[in-house]
Amino acid sequence: MRTVDVRPLRIVTFVVAAIFALVAIGLIAGGAALTWAHTTQRDAAGFLSSPTYELTSSGYAVMSEDIDLASRPGDWWPADLAEIRLEATAATDSPVFVGIGPADEVGAYLSGVAVDEVVQLGGASDDVGYRTSAGTAPAGPPTDQTFWIASAAGPGEQMFTWELDQGEWTLVVMNADASQGVTVDTQFGVNIGILLAVGIGLLVAGLLLGALSAAGLVWATRGDRDEAAVAPAVRVPGSYPAALEGELDPKLSRGLWLIKWLLAIPHFIVLAFLWMAFTVLTVVAFFAILFTGRYPRGIFEFNVGVLRWTWRVTFYATSVLGTDAYPPFTLADVDYPARFDVVYPERLSRGLVLVKWWLLAIPQYLIVGIFTSGLIWWTTEVEGNQVLEIGGGLIGLLVIIAGFSLLFTGRYPQGLFDLVMGLNRWAYRVWAYVTLMTDEYPPFRLDTGGSEPGVGPPDGPGGPPTDFPSREPALTG
């Protein structure tokens, strides 16, 4: 029987799935931004508002560039797409005028008039760019013109709203009496009726495309299990069901660690979608355990593979920096300096699944939080407003120290490596427990070193540990 070589198909699938993953990230980011804007950034009237810009002109008017809104005929323009609001307050007590009209008629009115045309509105209130045109005074005040489709005039704050429509339009700000010298504080707002629907649609499309790309990436990178997998040995009695191993490379590059995070970006993209699938499948496993007392074997294999893949990438790029060997794209347990595995549980407690991942794990969350993200916190501020909080944990701090040790001495201190491994081992044991893979509570114990307690060293450079836990359940008395 002829064997079909599927490797070229796997390569093509990987490339296409990676492209889909990038598109999915863009869709999810866009959908999240629109949903966030709709739910948190609108005012009581439903408008998203710009900063307040001070528009000034030494001439007679401040005008926008032509706003071209699908001026060619067509039936595609959706009704009630958006509503525009313009608020203006004169810097003096003199009446102000704001209006919008057809670009050709506004252009004829202000032809030969000294005006400033706004060519840039940035993110800050003073980030305004102008194109100045010299000229004379207008033929008459703007309030005498009849072509405005929406306008407001008078002292103090003036405001008009306008439903977006097809055509070419121009916004104008002037003194109501058409006198020279305009200084007006202006704020723009927009109310987009379909904003939430578009945001949710983008999120759904991104998640579906991400799930499709994750499936493609898993298939393309799983390889031949018989060739790739490392044969497990017998579980050491008394060891925890989740086992994490790492072998320190004795000849690490001095400076490669500075860019490993960049080199690992393809892995981060793949893992983002694998973790989406991991989350969904863990929920499925929760109900399976609740009703049957069993963790579905296929889901278990996949979820362990995601944790394994994550460990290899973080061992390489972020949480250890223990090897310069690039991680493989696979869920399988392969011959790599970093390994992770969990013993498959034949039975799990139906009642314990209700409380172990949140209530019982609270002490572990507090401890692991310090390891991973809770030790160092600082806040950045912009114009007096808190905008970002950044945290860093003990593992990150120790890895930075290890990186600088490599940079200046060419050596990764063995004691520091052992400590970092112990902290990561504790964290991964907690992950296995709270993601329902075992009922055995993680020990409050820091098991340092590259190998699990009671496990012998690797059988040669890059070789598998001789006593790495078996995937089969441990025998019980």
Side-chain angles (χ1 to χ4, degrees):
M1 181 177 180
R2 184 178 178 181
T3 301
V4 178
D5 186 358
V6 297
R7 285 175 294 180
L9 180 58
R10 291 188 190 278
I11 294 172
V12 172
T13 302
F14 180 84
V15 172
V16 173
I19 294 173
F20 281 3
L22 291 174
V23 174
I25 289 174
L27 291 174
I28 292 172
L34 293 180
T35 304
W36 170 77
H38 181 274
T39 55
T40 65
Q41 299 302 300
R42 300 192 308 160
D43 61 20
F47 283 84
L48 299 169
S49 298
S50 71
T52 298
Y53 297 99
E54 184 182 69
L55 303 182
T56 62
S57 173
S58 58
Y60 296 90
V62 178
M63 59 185 291
S64 70
E65 296 182 292
D66 289 351
I67 304 170
D68 188 355
L69 300 177
S71 57
R72 291 175 294 183
D75 297 330
W76 64 271
W77 187 270
D80 302 327
L81 175 64
E83 187 178 15
I84 303 299
R85 181 179 68 191
L86 179 60
E87 301 174 73
T89 305
T92 63
D93 293 333
S94 60
V96 64
F97 170 87
V98 290
I100 185 170
D104 55 349
E105 297 190 58
V106 173
Y109 169 59
L110 296 177
S111 178
V113 176
V115 299
D116 283 276
E117 184 178 12
V118 176
V119 295
Q120 173 187 316
L121 284 176
S125 58
D126 57 351
D127 189 5
V128 184
Y130 300 94
R131 182 187 299 117
T132 301
S133 300
T136 59
T143 51
D144 291 348
Q145 311 308 311
T146 59
F147 53 76
W148 306 109
I149 60 171
S151 63
E157 181 181 294
Q158 298 297 311
M159 178 185 70
F160 73 78
T161 60
W162 169 61
E163 287 190 1
L164 215 58
D165 197 6
Q166 288 179 307
E168 291 189 45
W169 314 102
T170 302
L171 285 164
V172 177
V173 178
M174 301 176 64
N175 295 323
D177 59 0
S179 59
Q180 188 173 10
V182 180
T183 302
V184 178
D185 290 330
T186 307
Q187 186 178 59
F188 303 91
V190 60
N191 183 1
I192 304 174
I194 63 173
L195 186 65
L196 181 60
V198 173
I200 294 176
L202 290 176
L203 281 173
V204 171
L207 290 172
L208 291 176
L209 189 59
L212 179 63
S213 65
L217 289 167
V218 169
W219 182 83
T221 58
R222 69 182 182 179
D224 189 330
R225 180 176 294 272
D226 292 337
E227 294 180 2
V230 177
V234 179
R235 179 186 174 191
V236 176
S239 63
Y240 193 73
L244 181 139
E245 304 267 330
E247 181 187 0
L248 179 61
D249 187 341
K251 296 182 180 180
L252 289 169
S253 167
R254 285 175 179 259
L256 186 61
W257 66 275
L258 293 168
I259 61 169
K260 282 181 177 178
W261 64 270
L262 181 63
L263 300 177
I265 286 177
H267 281 284
F268 295 146
I269 293 173
V270 176
L271 284 170
F273 291 102
L274 290 179
W275 273 98
M276 291 181 191
F278 181 100
T279 302
V280 173
L281 292 175
T282 300
V283 174
V284 175
F286 170 88
F287 288 102
I289 297 168
L290 183 63
F291 293 113
T292 70
R294 295 179 63 89
Y295 199 124
R297 188 69 182 249
I299 295 177
F300 184 87
E301 293 282 351
F302 176 84
N303 283 356
V304 171
V306 175
L307 288 173
R308 181 183 294 126
W309 193 328
T310 302
W311 168 236
R312 284 193 296 251
V313 174
T314 56
F315 184 85
Y316 168 78
T318 57
S319 67
V320 182
L321 308 178
T323 184
D324 288 342
Y326 198 73
F329 287 83
T330 179
L331 297 170
D333 185 15
V334 297
D335 186 2
Y336 186 75
R339 295 180 65 198
F340 177 79
D341 211 346
V342 183
V343 175
Y344 179 71
E346 289 294 347
R347 302 293 299 179
L348 289 167
S349 168
R350 297 186 187 186
L352 200 57
V353 73
L354 295 170
V355 295
K356 68 180 182 181
W357 55 274
W358 65 280
L359 180 61
L360 301 183
I362 288 176
Q364 298 286 354
Y365 284 141
L366 296 175
I367 295 171
V368 171
I370 295 174
F371 294 169
T372 58
S373 62
L375 182 65
I376 307 168
W377 288 91
W378 67 91
T379 301
T380 60
E381 295 186 0
V382 174
E383 297 182 354
N385 297 318
Q386 179 177 310
V387 296
L388 180 64
E389 287 189 349
I390 303 173
L394 180 58
I395 292 175
L397 177 62
L398 295 176
V399 169
I400 290 174
I401 293 173
F404 279 103
S405 177
L406 274 173
L407 185 65
F408 293 112
T409 70
R411 178 176 168 271
Y412 196 129
Q414 183 65 49
L416 186 56
F417 172 79
D418 291 342
L419 176 57
V420 170
M421 284 295 300
L423 297 174
N424 278 285
R425 182 172 290 116
W426 192 322
Y428 273 78
R429 287 173 177 174
V430 173
W431 277 18
Y433 179 75
V434 300
T435 55
L436 316 179
M437 294 179 180
T438 179
D439 283 343
E440 187 172 330
Y441 198 77
F444 289 97
R445 182 179 71 238
L446 186 62
D447 292 324
T448 61
S451 299
E452 286 284 336
V455 175
D459 55 358
T466 55
D467 292 314
F468 199 71
S470 170
R471 297 304 310 277
E472 300 303 322
L475 297 177
T476 60

